[in-house]
Amino acid sequence: MKKSLKDYDFKNKRVLVRVDFNVPLENGKVTDTNRIEAALPTIKYLVNEDAKVILMSHLGRPKGEFKEELKLDPVGKELANLLHRKVKKVDDCIGDEVKKAVDDMEKGDVLLLENTRFYKGEKKNDPDFARQLAENADIFVLDAFGAVHRAHASTVGVTEYLPSAAGFLLMRELNALGDVMENPESPFVAIMGGAKISGKIAVIENLIDKVDYILTGGGIANTFLKSQGYEVGKSLVEDDQLQIAQDLVKKAKNKGVILLLPHDVIIADEFDNDANYKEVPVSEVPVDWEILDSGGSNTIKEYTKIIKDAKTVIWNGPIGVFEFENFARGTNAIAKALAETDAKTIIGGGESAAAVKKAGFMDKMTHISTGGGASLRFFEGKSLPAVEAIDDL
Ligand code: ADP
Ligand code: MG
């Protein structure tokens, strides 16, 4: 068991909180506030406990250099709106400016530091950089579920210098994901979609030992289809994964897991929303067309029925190019089936979460993870270094 917020007295303490404010920005504005909202329970709790709340996060991939467009100022504005209180923002995450700002804090104040990835020491988990991050604080709280699979200075390094605890979001994620992986009620269904099979092999391998069904879609299904001898034309396929896909099909069969490929799909003559398109059986994909949506009528019918009868469903990866309206049918149908089933429904993966949101079913799911890579790592059954690093109870 890891220490949680209830295990500390935060009154007047300088609390350094690693949040996941890695949010999408467009023209200097936050376009999706989910991750900021998800961090509010921990922040509000610490404010109410009279802590001095110092927030840090990474944003994007500045590669260890200062990048004007990856500053956290827009996040600070959004956070202040959501919190209904003042959030002071500084332009660094270490050094004199931070020290001074922290010295000026009163209990209940909220301070936002600058993007930790402006320093190369962050991703290298450089001990000296971690020490500088920790320098102005008394306690460290980890609440950035989206970053727990990375051993960076702001997630793991700082725990060498400060007593630590897991925040509410982190606990909620670990409980929700842990629950389905440890005590799944059958029938247990995994829907695996998304672009590439290569990033998800370890997940599928781990799930084969636990689930009753694997429903495939998206680019992953294309690779499975090709591995079974189907023509998939110009579809997104990983040709170097065909053998692995074949092995997974065999392994599923040996374990009595029903691994399904789409029966019919939506194909297009171009990778474009306005391309010509039609629905065909998977055996009739012309060489110069491509599959952009696994959601053919029979596929949707079969997948929906399995989801309806399930008790536990996890979903990772859209089953089509849902960003194109004309190819979102399959993904929307899956989202709807998940919204309507009585099963526990867990969504992992950034694009999958976005698809559920776009379809308007967010509050119909049991849990939507805020961490794409982190939830995948969890489904792989691997340990999460930043969680390991938190003090034990
Ligand atoms: P997640 O973020 O949920 O884990 P991934 O990152 O693995 O999902 O993949 C999401 C992407 O997969 C989406 O942007 C979608 O456009 C793409 N995709 C799904 N099906 C196809 C397809 N048939 N061809 C090309 N891209 C696809
Ligand atoms: Mg993704």
Side-chain angles (χ1 to χ4, degrees), residues 305-363:
K305 168 102 178 53
I306 292 167
I307 293 166
K308 184 167 185 281
D309 295 338
K311 285 276 193 301
T312 310
V313 186
I314 59 179
W315 181 19
N316 178 274
I319 67 160
V321 185
F322 76 102
E323 296 91 341
F324 295 158
E325 214 173 301
N326 289 338
F327 303 99
R329 190 171 98 184
T331 300
N332 287 338
I334 295 288
K336 183 159 180 279
L338 260 68
E340 287 172 357
T341 179
D342 294 328
K344 259 185 202 165
T345 47
I346 306 286
I347 319 297
E351 266 84 24
S352 318
V356 169
K357 189 172 188 188
K358 209 166 155 188
F361 295 127
M362 269 189 94
D363 54 357

Side-chain angles (χ1 to χ4, degrees), residues 99-330:
K99 185 179 182 322
K100 191 175 171 311
V102 173
D103 286 346
D104 287 346
M105 287 176 89
E106 311 262 349
K107 57 181 196 240
D109 279 355
V110 179
L111 175 71
L112 176 62
L113 306 184
E114 191 49 276
N115 195 342
T116 51
R117 283 200 193 164
F118 285 172
Y119 287 90
K120 293 201 166 58
E122 164 69 327
K123 289 182 83 168
K124 284 191 202 147
N125 191 10
D126 175 61
D128 191 53
F129 178 63
R131 185 187 52 72
Q132 288 177 271
L133 286 173
E135 205 163 55
N136 301 302
D138 305 302
I139 302 169
F140 171 64
V141 169
L142 179 69
D143 211 23
F145 178 73
V148 288
H149 56 312
R150 312 214 185 274
H152 291 170
S154 68
T155 57
V156 169
V158 287
T159 62
E160 293 291 322
Y161 304 95
L162 294 170
S164 52
F168 291 134
L169 172 62
L170 178 56
M171 295 299 280
R172 187 158 64 83
E173 291 269 11
L174 295 175
N175 288 337
L177 302 180
D179 179 51
V180 292
M181 291 303 273
E182 280 149 35
N183 315 300
E185 223 188 310
S186 285
F188 185 2
V189 178
I191 307 159
M192 298 299 299
K196 293 187 171 177
I197 198 169
S198 51
K200 300 191 177 170
I201 292 161
V203 176
I204 299 174
E205 284 196 325
N206 189 42
L207 289 176
I208 279 181
D209 290 326
K210 301 182 189 292
V211 301
D212 303 295
Y213 293 88
I214 298 176
L215 314 182
T216 67
I220 286 190
N222 298 344
T223 302
F224 272 120
L225 285 168
K226 187 162 179 182
S227 82
Q228 301 303 301
Y230 288 96
E231 171 64 56
V232 294
K234 296 188 296 177
S235 301
L236 173 68
V237 162
E238 285 174 286
D239 282 310
D240 56 346
Q241 304 292 328
L242 294 174
Q243 184 61 51
I244 289 172
Q246 249 179 39
D247 293 346
L248 286 172
V249 169
K250 269 189 218 139
K251 202 167 165 187
K253 203 168 186 187
N254 289 338
K255 301 237 174 189
V257 174
I258 300 171
L259 188 151
L260 293 177
L261 310 187
H263 305 291
D264 39 17
V265 291
I266 320 296
I267 57 171
D269 60 355
E270 257 188 289
F271 189 84
D272 194 307
N273 186 51
D274 300 324
N276 294 307
Y277 65 93
K278 57 185 171 188
E279 179 174 326
V280 296
V282 288
S283 53
E284 290 173 24
V285 179
V287 285
D288 52 348
W289 286 56
E290 59 193 297
I291 305 169
L292 291 191
D293 184 358
S294 309
S297 310
N298 293 313
T299 309
I300 290 180
K301 217 178 273 165
E302 184 179 35
Y303 285 13
T304 302
K305 168 102 178 53
I306 292 167
I307 293 166
K308 184 167 185 281
D309 295 338
K311 285 276 193 301
T312 310
V313 186
I314 59 179
W315 181 19
N316 178 274
I319 67 160
V321 185
F322 76 102
E323 296 91 341
F324 295 158
E325 214 173 301
N326 289 338
F327 303 99
R329 190 171 98 184

